[in-house]
Amino acid sequence: MTLSDRVKSDIGFLGDALMPGPYQCYLCDEEDLIGEDGLCDKCRAKLKYLPNPTYLAPLDGITVGLQYSDEISAAVMRFKKLGQTEYAGFFTQFLSVPKEWNADILVPVPMHPLKKWIRRFNHTELLASYLSHATGIPYSSVLLRKNRFTFEQKKLYDPAERRKNIRGSFTADPSVKGLRIVLIDDVFTTGATVYECAKTLKRAGAEKVYLSAVTSPTH
Ligand SMILES: [Zn+2]
């Protein structure tokens, strides 16, 4: 049985193009001399790539792209809060999935359906779709669902509060059994959310759960 027979993977690419534009720098709106990465020379020179952070069970590995900065933070806000979906292509270039993970499927960190309805899209789903398009690894936004509305994690400063807030708020589809899954997220902070996602997937029988995130402020 092939993977697509076994799991509900999404069909089709959610984006219009891999990198729409770029007519302006994605980080500073500079209009001249923009490279294929969507950046001006000044912003490109300022980017700091991060070593892969240490991780704890139940995660089996993490990759992060960029060091968080004011510019990256502003770009993330434009993407997920202001609905500038062209940032999906821009941010996807900083996501990576190591070959040795032998990933079966990409799974975006889910958003509660009500929040998705309000925002009109889930930004991590867009990232997963773009990364799937770039890597050929399928993605699914139905294998893991958020079934409880929670406070925004970034508004909770105490790590124990963050863990409590998110506990038990996800449900995994039984078809994740035996799969090597890569969770896709934008910002990796304390990890409370992705650890809860990984726990839920492992309990449902996932073989491995990794995380690929665009940026991290804490490592
Ligand atoms: Zn720039």
Side-chain angles (χ1 to χ4, degrees):
M1 212 185 328
T2 66
L3 182 70
S4 54
D5 295 330
R6 283 190 345 172
V7 304
K8 299 169 198 156
S9 76
D10 295 16
I11 297 166
F13 174 47
L14 298 175
D16 299 324
L18 256 186
M19 284 290 288
Y23 306 111
Q24 293 180 322
C25 173
Y26 277 86
L27 295 183
C28 76
D29 293 339
E30 172 67 53
E31 286 183 14
D32 297 323
L33 301 168
I34 308 304
E36 280 185 8
D37 54 4
L39 292 166
C40 70
D41 291 347
K42 227 162 71 189
C43 287
R44 189 180 305 111
K46 275 203 284 186
L47 291 185
K48 287 200 185 80
Y49 287 83
L50 288 171
N52 294 329
T54 50
Y55 53 88
L56 299 168
L59 277 175
D60 296 289
I62 302 179
T63 59
V64 288
L66 301 171
Q67 169 82 57
Y68 206 59
S69 65
D70 290 348
E71 292 82 3
I72 300 288
S73 165
V76 168
M77 287 303 120
R78 289 181 186 183
F79 177 34
K80 62 187 201 188
K81 299 257 167 98
L82 302 180
Q84 296 188 16
T85 50
E86 67 273 21
Y87 276 87
F90 172 70
F91 281 130
T92 297
Q93 64 186 322
F94 306 112
L95 288 169
S96 59
V97 179
K99 274 225 152 45
E100 59 271 25
W101 287 0
N102 288 313
D104 294 308
I105 196 148
L106 311 175
V107 170
V109 168
M111 186 180 269
H112 189 275
L114 179 61
K115 190 165 170 188
K116 186 174 167 185
W117 183 77
I118 293 167
R119 289 230 182 129
R120 292 180 291 112
F121 69 102
N122 175 4
H123 59 289
T124 61
E125 200 176 319
L126 271 186
L127 291 174
S129 160
Y130 275 75
L131 189 62
S132 170
H133 188 78
T135 61
I137 304 167
Y139 81 98
S140 172
S141 53
V142 293
L143 293 182
L144 187 66
R145 293 176 188 276
K146 181 120 187 259
N147 47 33
R148 185 160 60 76
F149 209 78
T150 52
F151 289 111
E152 267 193 68
Q153 288 291 85
K154 65 177 218 170
K155 292 183 180 152
L156 301 171
Y157 295 102
D158 176 23
E161 278 297 309
R162 284 186 170 212
R163 285 196 298 275
K164 205 173 131 197
N165 180 44
I166 204 79
R167 197 173 297 148
S169 62
F170 299 104
T171 314
D173 189 274
S175 62
V176 299
K177 198 165 190 287
L179 293 183
R180 293 174 298 260
I181 292 169
V182 183
L183 287 166
I184 304 298
D185 207 357
D186 54 347
V187 185
F188 176 69
T189 313
T190 65
T193 302
V194 286
Y195 281 110
E196 184 64 26
C197 289
K199 206 166 78 184
T200 306
L201 289 165
K202 284 274 176 88
R203 277 188 186 149
E207 186 189 322
K208 299 276 183 194
V209 181
Y210 304 97
L211 168 72
S212 178
V214 173
T215 178
S216 176
T218 52
H219 299 276

